[in-house]
mmCIF file of all heavy atoms in Angstrom:
data_model
loop_
_atom_site.group_PDB
_atom_site.id
_atom_site.type_symbol
_atom_site.label_atom_id
_atom_site.label_comp_id
_atom_site.label_asym_id
_atom_site.label_seq_id
_atom_site.Cartn_x
_atom_site.Cartn_y
_atom_site.Cartn_z
ATOM 1 N N ARG R 19 76.297 107.418 104.992
ATOM 2 C CA ARG R 19 77.447 107.723 105.836
ATOM 3 C C ARG R 19 78.454 106.517 105.933
ATOM 4 O O ARG R 19 79.371 106.576 106.811
ATOM 5 C CB ARG R 19 76.995 108.025 107.238
ATOM 6 C CG ARG R 19 76.435 109.509 107.409
ATOM 7 C CD ARG R 19 75.138 109.716 106.682
ATOM 8 N NE ARG R 19 74.679 111.064 106.809
ATOM 9 C CZ ARG R 19 73.561 111.587 106.124
ATOM 10 N NH1 ARG R 19 72.881 110.758 105.382
ATOM 11 N NH2 ARG R 19 73.256 112.772 106.293
ATOM 12 N N GLY R 20 78.340 105.609 104.958
ATOM 13 C CA GLY R 20 79.362 104.451 105.143
ATOM 14 C C GLY R 20 78.739 103.104 105.320
ATOM 15 O O GLY R 20 79.440 102.260 105.988
ATOM 16 N N LEU R 21 77.461 102.853 104.935
ATOM 17 C CA LEU R 21 76.874 101.494 105.187
ATOM 18 C C LEU R 21 76.799 101.198 106.674
ATOM 19 O O LEU R 21 76.634 99.952 107.094
ATOM 20 C CB LEU R 21 77.562 100.375 104.473
ATOM 21 C CG LEU R 21 78.121 100.666 102.999
ATOM 22 C CD1 LEU R 21 78.700 99.332 102.515
ATOM 23 C CD2 LEU R 21 76.900 101.090 102.192
ATOM 24 N N LEU R 22 76.551 102.299 107.517
ATOM 25 C CA LEU R 22 76.663 102.012 108.999
ATOM 26 C C LEU R 22 75.519 101.359 109.557
ATOM 27 O O LEU R 22 75.742 100.495 110.535
ATOM 28 C CB LEU R 22 76.934 103.328 109.649
ATOM 29 C CG LEU R 22 78.343 104.060 109.303
ATOM 30 C CD1 LEU R 22 78.381 105.341 110.027
ATOM 31 C CD2 LEU R 22 79.455 103.120 109.671
ATOM 32 N N GLY R 23 74.377 101.518 109.118
ATOM 33 C CA GLY R 23 73.134 100.808 109.619
ATOM 34 C C GLY R 23 73.320 99.359 109.347
ATOM 35 O O GLY R 23 73.030 98.555 110.331
ATOM 36 N N SER R 24 73.581 98.989 108.156
ATOM 37 C CA SER R 24 73.698 97.535 107.844
ATOM 38 C C SER R 24 74.899 96.975 108.615
ATOM 39 O O SER R 24 74.862 95.733 108.972
ATOM 40 C CB SER R 24 73.838 97.344 106.427
ATOM 41 O OG SER R 24 74.872 98.013 105.812
ATOM 42 N N GLU R 25 75.930 97.679 108.767
ATOM 43 C CA GLU R 25 77.089 97.252 109.504
ATOM 44 C C GLU R 25 76.785 97.045 110.965
ATOM 45 O O GLU R 25 77.204 95.996 111.538
ATOM 46 C CB GLU R 25 78.300 98.275 109.387
ATOM 47 C CG GLU R 25 79.517 97.984 110.092
ATOM 48 C CD GLU R 25 80.278 96.753 109.623
ATOM 49 O OE1 GLU R 25 80.002 96.289 108.431
ATOM 50 O OE2 GLU R 25 81.211 96.190 110.379
ATOM 51 N N ALA R 26 75.963 97.940 111.477
ATOM 52 C CA ALA R 26 75.530 97.796 112.924
ATOM 53 C C ALA R 26 74.739 96.377 113.107
ATOM 54 O O ALA R 26 74.919 95.729 114.051
ATOM 55 C CB ALA R 26 74.800 98.895 113.365
ATOM 56 N N TYR R 27 73.874 96.213 112.100
ATOM 57 C CA TYR R 27 73.149 94.885 112.079
ATOM 58 C C TYR R 27 74.026 93.687 111.959
ATOM 59 O O TYR R 27 73.932 92.669 112.759
ATOM 60 C CB TYR R 27 72.082 94.780 110.972
ATOM 61 C CG TYR R 27 71.328 93.433 110.946
ATOM 62 C CD1 TYR R 27 70.282 93.266 111.737
ATOM 63 C CD2 TYR R 27 71.857 92.491 110.226
ATOM 64 C CE1 TYR R 27 69.601 92.017 111.768
ATOM 65 C CE2 TYR R 27 71.327 91.193 110.146
ATOM 66 C CZ TYR R 27 70.174 91.038 110.995
ATOM 67 O OH TYR R 27 69.526 89.845 111.069
ATOM 68 N N ALA R 28 75.072 93.787 111.066
ATOM 69 C CA ALA R 28 75.966 92.605 110.823
ATOM 70 C C ALA R 28 76.815 92.295 112.066
ATOM 71 O O ALA R 28 77.199 91.315 112.257
ATOM 72 C CB ALA R 28 76.805 92.911 109.562
ATOM 73 N N THR R 29 77.089 93.333 112.833
ATOM 74 C CA THR R 29 77.943 93.172 113.975
ATOM 75 C C THR R 29 77.186 92.607 115.123
ATOM 76 O O THR R 29 77.709 92.084 116.097
ATOM 77 C CB THR R 29 78.677 94.477 114.375
ATOM 78 O OG1 THR R 29 77.724 95.507 114.653
ATOM 79 C CG2 THR R 29 79.616 94.938 113.378
ATOM 80 N N ALA R 30 75.790 92.928 115.172
ATOM 81 C CA ALA R 30 74.881 92.440 116.196
ATOM 82 C C ALA R 30 73.591 91.921 115.536
ATOM 83 O O ALA R 30 72.595 92.430 115.727
ATOM 84 C CB ALA R 30 74.586 93.570 117.148
ATOM 85 N N PRO R 31 73.771 90.830 114.698
ATOM 86 C CA PRO R 31 72.578 90.351 113.966
ATOM 87 C C PRO R 31 71.524 89.746 114.865
ATOM 88 O O PRO R 31 71.774 89.094 115.807
ATOM 89 C CB PRO R 31 73.246 89.247 113.045
ATOM 90 C CG PRO R 31 74.459 88.803 113.795
ATOM 91 C CD PRO R 31 74.911 90.043 114.524
ATOM 92 N N VAL R 32 70.241 90.205 114.482
ATOM 93 C CA VAL R 32 69.150 89.566 115.221
ATOM 94 C C VAL R 32 68.930 88.150 114.799
ATOM 95 O O VAL R 32 68.496 87.258 115.628
ATOM 96 C CB VAL R 32 67.900 90.373 114.801
ATOM 97 C CG1 VAL R 32 66.591 89.883 115.569
ATOM 98 C CG2 VAL R 32 68.081 91.939 115.225
ATOM 99 N N TYR R 33 69.310 87.848 113.647
ATOM 100 C CA TYR R 33 69.158 86.401 113.115
ATOM 101 C C TYR R 33 70.566 85.968 112.631
ATOM 102 O O TYR R 33 71.357 86.663 112.061
ATOM 103 C CB TYR R 33 68.240 86.380 111.873
ATOM 104 C CG TYR R 33 66.896 87.163 112.156
ATOM 105 C CD1 TYR R 33 66.813 88.510 111.870
ATOM 106 C CD2 TYR R 33 65.911 86.426 112.827
ATOM 107 C CE1 TYR R 33 65.609 89.106 112.141
ATOM 108 C CE2 TYR R 33 64.740 87.065 113.237
ATOM 109 C CZ TYR R 33 64.600 88.431 112.871
ATOM 110 O OH TYR R 33 63.424 89.123 113.105
ATOM 111 N N PRO R 34 70.936 84.669 113.070
ATOM 112 C CA PRO R 34 72.318 84.216 112.821
ATOM 113 C C PRO R 34 72.670 84.354 111.317
ATOM 114 O O PRO R 34 71.872 83.953 110.477
ATOM 115 C CB PRO R 34 72.363 82.753 113.275
ATOM 116 C CG PRO R 34 71.145 82.692 114.230
ATOM 117 C CD PRO R 34 70.107 83.619 113.769
ATOM 118 N N LEU R 35 73.806 84.953 111.126
ATOM 119 C CA LEU R 35 74.314 85.113 109.709
ATOM 120 C C LEU R 35 74.609 83.737 109.041
ATOM 121 O O LEU R 35 74.490 83.715 107.798
ATOM 122 C CB LEU R 35 75.513 86.056 109.735
ATOM 123 C CG LEU R 35 75.292 87.488 110.186
ATOM 124 C CD1 LEU R 35 76.648 88.240 110.007
ATOM 125 C CD2 LEU R 35 74.143 88.089 109.480
ATOM 126 N N ALA R 36 74.967 82.864 109.834
ATOM 127 C CA ALA R 36 75.310 81.459 109.239
ATOM 128 C C ALA R 36 74.016 80.851 108.636
ATOM 129 O O ALA R 36 74.083 80.021 107.734
ATOM 130 C CB ALA R 36 75.807 80.603 110.388
ATOM 131 N N LYS R 37 72.823 81.203 109.157
ATOM 132 C CA LYS R 37 71.538 80.705 108.597
ATOM 133 C C LYS R 37 70.721 81.840 107.814
ATOM 134 O O LYS R 37 69.578 81.654 107.702
ATOM 135 C CB LYS R 37 70.710 80.072 109.760
ATOM 136 C CG LYS R 37 71.229 78.814 110.387
ATOM 137 C CD LYS R 37 70.395 78.157 111.251
ATOM 138 C CE LYS R 37 70.899 76.762 111.634
ATOM 139 N NZ LYS R 37 69.903 75.971 112.501
ATOM 140 N N THR R 38 71.474 82.902 107.584
ATOM 141 C CA THR R 38 70.853 83.781 106.593
ATOM 142 C C THR R 38 71.068 83.388 105.248
ATOM 143 O O THR R 38 72.382 83.296 104.846
ATOM 144 C CB THR R 38 71.450 85.249 106.934
ATOM 145 O OG1 THR R 38 71.081 85.616 108.282
ATOM 146 C CG2 THR R 38 70.809 86.217 105.972
ATOM 147 N N VAL R 39 70.119 82.965 104.524
ATOM 148 C CA VAL R 39 70.233 82.345 103.208
ATOM 149 C C VAL R 39 70.830 83.231 102.090
ATOM 150 O O VAL R 39 71.721 82.767 101.451
ATOM 151 C CB VAL R 39 68.814 81.900 102.733
ATOM 152 C CG1 VAL R 39 68.924 81.094 101.436
ATOM 153 C CG2 VAL R 39 68.161 80.918 103.866
ATOM 154 N N ALA R 40 70.334 84.466 102.086
ATOM 155 C CA ALA R 40 70.935 85.414 101.136
ATOM 156 C C ALA R 40 70.547 86.865 101.545
ATOM 157 O O ALA R 40 69.581 87.027 102.344
ATOM 158 C CB ALA R 40 70.409 85.118 99.707
ATOM 159 N N SER R 41 71.208 87.837 100.983
ATOM 160 C CA SER R 41 70.978 89.202 101.150
ATOM 161 C C SER R 41 70.528 89.797 99.883
ATOM 162 O O SER R 41 71.367 89.941 98.982
ATOM 163 C CB SER R 41 72.173 89.922 101.866
ATOM 164 O OG SER R 41 71.904 91.325 101.927
ATOM 165 N N LEU R 42 69.237 90.271 99.740
ATOM 166 C CA LEU R 42 68.739 90.811 98.421
ATOM 167 C C LEU R 42 68.429 92.310 98.652
ATOM 168 O O LEU R 42 67.634 92.679 99.457
ATOM 169 C CB LEU R 42 67.548 90.125 98.024
ATOM 170 C CG LEU R 42 67.559 88.566 97.972
ATOM 171 C CD1 LEU R 42 66.289 87.932 97.651
ATOM 172 C CD2 LEU R 42 68.670 88.076 97.042
ATOM 173 N N THR R 43 69.252 93.213 97.975
ATOM 174 C CA THR R 43 69.304 94.568 98.158
ATOM 175 C C THR R 43 68.762 95.437 96.957
ATOM 176 O O THR R 43 69.163 95.119 95.813
ATOM 177 C CB THR R 43 70.637 94.994 98.601
ATOM 178 O OG1 THR R 43 70.989 94.427 99.849
ATOM 179 C CG2 THR R 43 70.719 96.581 98.708
ATOM 180 N N LEU R 44 67.898 96.350 97.214
ATOM 181 C CA LEU R 44 67.473 97.405 96.152
ATOM 182 C C LEU R 44 68.080 98.701 96.490
ATOM 183 O O LEU R 44 67.717 99.199 97.582
ATOM 184 C CB LEU R 44 65.979 97.412 96.128
ATOM 185 C CG LEU R 44 65.168 96.187 95.830
ATOM 186 C CD1 LEU R 44 63.619 96.492 95.870
ATOM 187 C CD2 LEU R 44 65.494 95.604 94.582
ATOM 188 N N ASP R 45 68.817 99.319 95.617
ATOM 189 C CA ASP R 45 69.412 100.612 95.894
ATOM 190 C C ASP R 45 69.553 101.356 94.559
ATOM 191 O O ASP R 45 70.511 101.106 93.803
ATOM 192 C CB ASP R 45 70.785 100.396 96.569
ATOM 193 C CG ASP R 45 71.405 101.664 97.141
ATOM 194 O OD1 ASP R 45 70.791 102.770 96.893
ATOM 195 O OD2 ASP R 45 72.406 101.726 97.817
#
């Protein structure tokens, strides 16, 4: 529906994005 779940996480991250080392995705 437009990457909305990951967008919701990115707007309210549980873990600081500044200390998120990398994002590894399987699709």
Side-chain angles (χ1 to χ4, degrees):
R19 278 74 182 171
L21 317 184
L22 295 180
S24 56
E25 178 68 14
Y27 176 86
T29 58
V32 180
Y33 310 95
L35 298 183
K37 289 193 174 183
T38 300
V39 180
S41 169
L42 310 176
T43 295
L44 301 178
D45 193 351

